[in-house]
């Protein structure tokens, strides 16, 4: 096998592996029981899928046309920076909206913390739901 | 660290002026010579030699790519098992990291590593709540991985 052929094979293999990872990610999103476990498949596998596909495209274009597309590399960097943050924000919003976890879930240490925060937030508000300042807070406590 | 980089660039530009050839190779030569000079004079410079930190960043990146590959193999295993044999849950992980960008880095790394996903950070930035795919079998091993990450991040930032 020539060097060009080997490079072409590597590029094709990377793109194929990326496509397979994307498929697995999609199957995972269908098969997993709740939003939290689905988010696992959504963030990790699709990030790797995008990484492999873009890397394969980069190698292919560099070998075929001798053009080094830095934009593809930048695309990889940006996906890496944004995908975990997006996953975090979505799962956090889901938790705050009290989306139920699957029945097999065994442990939840965040529950107490959220309840405590809710209590604090209620203490900071008056009957109409407006945020109150320190003096008003003391007044409210005295009333109680 | 910024001071050292600026010093190194100044030395590189100086080298360009001295050799009177304004090309990229001469800038690179000057940069290497500047790095060598800074390495020899590292006792007089505040903080560590900065290329050491660059090396740590590269190591962190390699660790990260390795963990990403392992995590995807795990996902494949979970997806193709006919029955659900894992028990997801949320556990609290106390962290020693202080500044917010260190915590951002740690939560991002957690989200892309085997079986874990960061759900929330507590108000005082001391506890990270992590959703684990299989909490029964490997809570200790997960914590070990996190500690290696935390150590690697600390080596980069301090």
């Amino acid at each position: 096998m020539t060097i060009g052929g080997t490079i072409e094979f590597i590029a094709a293999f990377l793109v194929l592996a990326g496509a397979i990872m994307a498929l697995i990610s999609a199957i995972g999103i269908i098969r997993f029981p709740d939003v939290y476990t689905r988010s696992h498949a959504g963030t990790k596998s699709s990030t790797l899928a995008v990484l492999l596909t873009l890397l394969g495209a980069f190698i292919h274009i560099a070998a075929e046309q001798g053009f080094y597309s830095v934009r593809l590399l930048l695309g990889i960097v940006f996906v890496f920076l944004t995908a975990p943050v997006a996953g975090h924000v979505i799962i956090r919003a889901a938790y705050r909206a009290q989306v139920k976890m699957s029945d097999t879930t065994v442990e939840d240490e965040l529950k107490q913390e959220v309840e405590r925060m809710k209590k604090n937030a209620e203490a900071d508000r008056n009957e109409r739901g407006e945020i109150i300042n320190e003096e008003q807070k003391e007044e409210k406590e005295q009333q109680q | 660290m910024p001071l050292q980089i600026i010093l190194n660039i100044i030395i590189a530009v100086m080298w360009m002026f001295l050799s009177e050839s304004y090309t990229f190779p001469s800038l690179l030569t000057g940069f290497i010579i500047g790095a060598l000079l800074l390495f020899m004079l590292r006792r007089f410079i505040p903080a560590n030699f900065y290329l050491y930190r660059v090396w740590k960043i590269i190591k962190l990146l390699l660790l990260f790519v390795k963990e990403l590959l392992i995590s995807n193999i795990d996902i494949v295993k979970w997806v193709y098992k006919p029955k659900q044999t894992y028990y997801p849950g949320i556990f609290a992980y106390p962290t020693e990291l202080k500044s917010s960008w260190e915590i951002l880095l740690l939560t991002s790394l957690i989200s892309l590593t085997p079986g874990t996903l960061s759900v929330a950070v507590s108000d005082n930035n001391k506890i990270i709540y992590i959703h684990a795919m299989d909490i029964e079998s490997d809570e200790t091993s997960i914590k070990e991985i996190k500690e290696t990450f935390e150590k690697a991040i600390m080596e980069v930032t301090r």
Side-chain angles (χ1 to χ4, degrees):
Chain A
M1 201 186 270
T2 59
I3 296 167
T6 315
I7 291 171
E8 195 68 351
F9 175 76
I10 291 171
F13 177 77
L14 284 176
V15 172
L16 182 67
I20 290 172
M21 278 323 296
L23 180 68
I24 286 168
S25 164
I27 295 173
I29 288 172
I30 294 171
R31 278 210 59 191
F32 285 153
D34 62 355
V35 64
Y36 306 98
T37 42
R38 277 177 192 155
S39 188
H40 275 269
T43 47
K44 293 195 239 297
S45 307
S46 42
T47 313
L48 187 72
V50 170
L51 169 98
L52 289 173
T53 317
L54 287 184
L55 205 63
F58 175 79
I59 291 173
H60 174 78
I61 293 170
E64 284 282 289
Q65 301 171 5
F67 175 69
Y68 295 95
S69 172
V70 184
R71 250 182 264 177
L72 284 175
L73 295 182
L74 278 181
I76 292 174
V77 172
F78 285 134
V79 166
F80 254 84
L81 286 180
T82 52
V85 178
H88 174 86
V89 170
I90 290 169
I91 199 171
R92 185 172 179 274
Y95 197 93
R96 285 297 173 85
Q98 295 169 331
V99 176
K100 275 214 179 66
M101 306 176 95
S102 72
D103 299 333
T104 49
T105 305
V106 285
E107 210 176 341
D108 191 356
E109 291 182 6
L110 183 54
K111 209 172 181 180
Q112 309 158 351
E113 172 74 9
V114 168
E115 272 166 11
R116 193 183 58 76
M117 274 159 61
K118 256 188 201 151
K119 230 182 222 169
N120 285 353
E122 267 168 30
D124 287 348
R125 286 170 190 279
N126 61 15
E127 300 81 41
R128 280 171 296 174
E130 291 159 340
I131 297 170
I132 55 180
N133 58 24
E134 291 294 320
E135 291 169 23
Q136 288 167 322
K137 207 189 279 181
E138 279 167 20
E139 266 175 42
K140 195 181 170 188
E141 275 166 16
Q142 280 167 7
Q143 279 172 14
Q144 286 173 353
Chain B
M1 180 161 153
L3 175 79
Q4 292 183 40
I5 293 172
I6 289 168
L7 268 177
N8 202 345
I9 290 170
I10 288 173
I11 293 171
V13 173
M14 280 305 222
W15 181 261
M16 248 179 12
F17 284 143
L18 283 173
S19 57
E20 286 194 337
S21 71
Y22 307 102
T23 56
F24 181 71
S26 82
L27 185 75
L28 199 67
T29 323
F31 196 82
I32 291 165
I33 288 168
L36 275 175
L37 276 177
L38 280 176
F39 180 69
M40 284 192 289
L41 297 173
R42 66 188 182 280
R43 286 173 56 197
F44 308 104
I45 300 166
N48 279 335
F49 181 54
Y50 81 98
L51 285 182
Y52 180 70
R53 201 179 267 188
V54 172
W55 168 240
K56 289 286 179 200
I57 293 172
I58 292 168
K59 255 174 118 177
L60 183 65
L61 273 178
L62 288 179
L63 176 75
F64 175 53
V65 169
K66 192 191 100 194
E67 294 289 337
L68 184 69
L69 288 176
I70 294 174
S71 80
N72 277 283
I73 293 168
D74 280 0
I75 290 275
V76 172
K77 261 195 294 193
W78 285 319
V79 166
Y80 279 103
K81 264 182 191 163
K83 276 184 186 152
Q84 187 181 354
T85 53
Y86 49 85
Y87 296 95
I90 292 176
F91 69 93
Y93 171 72
T95 178
E96 290 167 27
L97 298 176
K98 293 268 159 26
S99 62
S100 42
W101 79 268
E102 285 173 335
I103 290 170
L104 170 73
L105 200 60
L106 185 65
T107 48
S108 295
L109 289 179
I110 286 169
S111 290
L112 289 177
T113 50
T116 53
L117 203 64
S118 54
V119 180
V121 181
S122 69
D123 284 343
N124 53 8
N125 285 354
K126 277 185 182 146
I127 299 170
I128 299 174
Y129 294 94
I130 300 171
H131 182 270
M133 197 73 171
D134 195 357
I135 202 160
E136 296 261 293
S137 68
D138 49 14
E139 189 168 353
T140 49
S141 64
I142 287 168
K143 277 196 175 162
E144 269 167 33
I145 294 166
K146 295 295 152 304
E147 265 149 33
T148 58
F149 271 137
E150 206 173 322
K151 239 170 86 187
I153 291 173
M154 271 178 161
E155 276 173 356
V156 168
T157 52
R158 280 159 211 182

